[in-house]
Amino acid sequence: FKSKRCPSCGFTYYHNAAAAVAVFLEDGEGRVLACRRAFEPAKGTLDLIGGFVDPGESLTDAVVREVREECGADISSCRLSLVASHPNVYTFGGLDVNTCDAIFRTVVPAGFAPVPADDVSECIWIPLDELPSRVHEFGLDSIREAVEDYIRERC
């Protein structure tokens, strides 16, 4: 359903997608950062750093915040480029949340040392030449599609 209308008062509620972001963090040495999900949905699978966009927050501000929360790094001075955008259904708290995921990429500064935090159990640097054989390890449909887009563009 796209909308529901109240027959009593006439109010129409539009069920719109929630904005979400993810980011390919490249290290300049031919590797990209993946993280292992600590919680459901898709617990234990690979993911990109990312999450929901907070009210009043831009997509790029959300990327910077999520990177800080999930691996303790500041990428506020890094240039972000949009790689792809995909719809997703994210089951959260027993509810299916329709999202529109904006996926970015950036090159992180030398010495970037991610530390897993928040909902990340492990940070993994994956060489670009290994990424095609690991696509199946990414647990969320939209992220897996974004990894395939990224491979077509970068590898």
Side-chain angles (χ1 to χ4, degrees), residues 7 83 85 103 138 140:
V83 172
S85 179
I103 298 95
F138 288 82
L140 300 175

Side-chain angles (χ1 to χ4, degrees), residues 75-89:
I75 64 161
S76 59
S77 63
C78 296
R79 182 176 173 268
L80 294 169
S81 301
L82 184 66
V83 172
S85 179
H86 291 284
N88 192 33
V89 178

Side-chain angles (χ1 to χ4, degrees), residues 17-18 86-91 97-101 140-143 145:
H86 291 284
N88 192 33
V89 178
Y90 185 86
T91 303
V97 178
N98 288 284
T99 66
C100 181
D101 298 352
L140 300 175
D141 292 342
S142 62
I143 299 301
E145 290 173 27

